[in-house]
Amino acid sequence: MFRVMKAKNAEPLEINGIRLGPELTEEQAKVIFALGEQAVVFALLAQAKILAGRNGERSPQSRSEDPSCPSGQKAPYEKPNKKGRKRKPGSKPGHKGHCRAKPDHVDREEQHRESHCPDCGGKLTKCNSSRKRYIEDIPRDVHVEVTEHTIHRDWCPNCRKMVEPKVPDALPNATIGNRLLVMSAWLHYALGNTISQILSVFNFHLQFTVTAGGLVQMWHRLGEILQSWYEEIAKEIVLAGVLHADETGWRINGRLSWLWCFTTPSATLFAIERSRASPVVLKFITEQFDGVLVSDFWGAYNILVCAKQKCLVHLLRDLERVEKYKDTSADWARFAKTLRRLIRDAIRLRKRRETLDPAIYERRYHRIEQRLQLLIEMTWTNRQARRLVKRLRRHQHELFTFVLEHEVPFENNFAERIIRQAVIMRKNSYNNRSAKGASTQAILMSVFTTLKQRGLNPITTMEQALRTYITTGKLPVLKDFPTAQG
């Protein structure tokens, strides 16, 4: 009685000779109803299938339609087209031009002069006119340098033992120098190159073959040496006036973990932990912290008793997500419009801080607080509006801190940009295979990111520190290295 559509001949669905589809009439529907419950159920499922096919819709169980599905798990053809730029990239017309600065020193000079005109071939008359052009390039004869160290051992009558000098060019028992070690770690933990890519470049130039296991073991040794710098960075972020925090998923030997990022303009601390809960926050941000914490609305940060600024961009994105995927009936439109206007007025007020009288500025700030309180106290019938009102009530005093604090932004974009490089490396390296590897990853990423923020050459700085460590047995203090601004 029921005939189902086949994929090859695309025959229509029929029930007892009645073709299902948009042309189904009321009389035919009554005939199907008289056939019984099974016929009605089949007709409804068939109509839904036909409608989905006409509209090009996918199954509602498709993971790609889930708003919580990561972008990387969606097929490219299922993603919406990216919106165009609001403005043309680059500086505005008439701006002051930017060019490379003149080099500090010149290694080689060359003179260039034509004897005949390249167009007509006529002989040229010499003039005093000339121009300078600076070209920076890598020398052609760059090669790996192999040094043979003859270490003399002599007898100490007082200690009654043989002594020998230390070689500061490499770690004990290492066959690769400090510069090569630091460069390999920088390529992997700062730039995100894979181990196979590093080995393919290094082994092309080195006289002996470096293995992946040997390189990783050297990185572990380097991480243990730089542990004191990691602890120094951890102490420094606690003393910051404004601290940005963010976290993202990570894996250790395939098990879910979390990469935490605590950053300031001059220091960044990465930590890989198995938990995403508040104990991790308390582990790195102690009671000594007296600044402003800028973060998203993740509940782990609520345990801290300090001034906070929640990311308003996350709140605006939540409004957009509701309008795209959730229920927007009843009074949702009025709620969303009121909240958006309140956020934009606060941002606009912050931009006018320098032009307004302090008394007027403070009075307008209190007015924004009153509007927020009124929004929270109002009765909303939409479920999503009530959910966001609970969030606003919980973080009522953490939404507009940026209006009063000049150095505090209204979004957490700074931490997201810092952690973005780690997210890119996560796609290349597939995280870590052991807890020791995760510890080395956190230490070296923190050190390299901090050195970059301070304008220091990572290879030169760490090579100099290793030479001091090998000679004296103690790593120099990180803050003693002069920054680019200092």
Side-chain angles (χ1 to χ4, degrees), residues 57-85:
E57 296 180 354
R58 296 175 296 277
S59 172
Q61 288 78 20
S62 175
R63 179 167 172 78
S64 61
E65 293 184 354
D66 187 359
S68 62
C69 178
S71 176
Q73 296 185 9
K74 296 182 180 180
Y77 55 84
E78 293 181 344
K79 297 180 181 180
N81 294 329
K82 187 176 181 181
K83 297 181 179 179
R85 289 179 176 267

Side-chain angles (χ1 to χ4, degrees), residues 236 265-267 450-457 461 478-486:
E236 182 175 335
S266 61
T450 301
L451 292 177
K452 178 182 178 181
Q453 289 177 305
R454 300 183 180 185
L456 295 172
N457 187 314
T461 303
L478 179 58
K479 65 178 181 180
D480 291 343
F481 289 90
T483 62
Q485 294 79 7

Side-chain angles (χ1 to χ4, degrees), residues 6 42 79 96 139 156 158 191 224 277 281 297 321 323 326 462 465:
K6 297 181 180 180
F42 179 82
K79 297 180 181 180
K96 184 178 180 180
C156 177
N158 296 329
L191 302 185
E224 293 173 358
V281 180
F297 291 91
R321 190 179 299 109
E323 293 172 349
K326 304 294 183 178
M462 293 181 64

Side-chain angles (χ1 to χ4, degrees), residues 27 35 81 107 164-165 173 192 222 265 276 332 373 404 461:
E27 290 74 12
L35 294 176
N81 294 329
D107 300 302
E164 63 182 34
N173 302 322
L222 181 62
R276 198 189 179 191
W332 166 259
Q373 182 65 31
L404 296 180
T461 303

Side-chain angles (χ1 to χ4, degrees), residues 366-380:
H366 290 307
R367 175 56 183 162
I368 288 178
E369 284 189 324
Q370 293 173 1
R371 291 168 57 187
L372 175 61
Q373 182 65 31
L374 181 62
L375 178 66
I376 294 175
E377 293 177 352
M378 291 181 64
T379 302
W380 304 97

Side-chain angles (χ1 to χ4, degrees), residues 32-44:
I32 295 176
F33 179 79
L35 294 176
E37 179 181 355
Q38 294 183 353
V40 174
V41 172
F42 179 82
L44 291 175

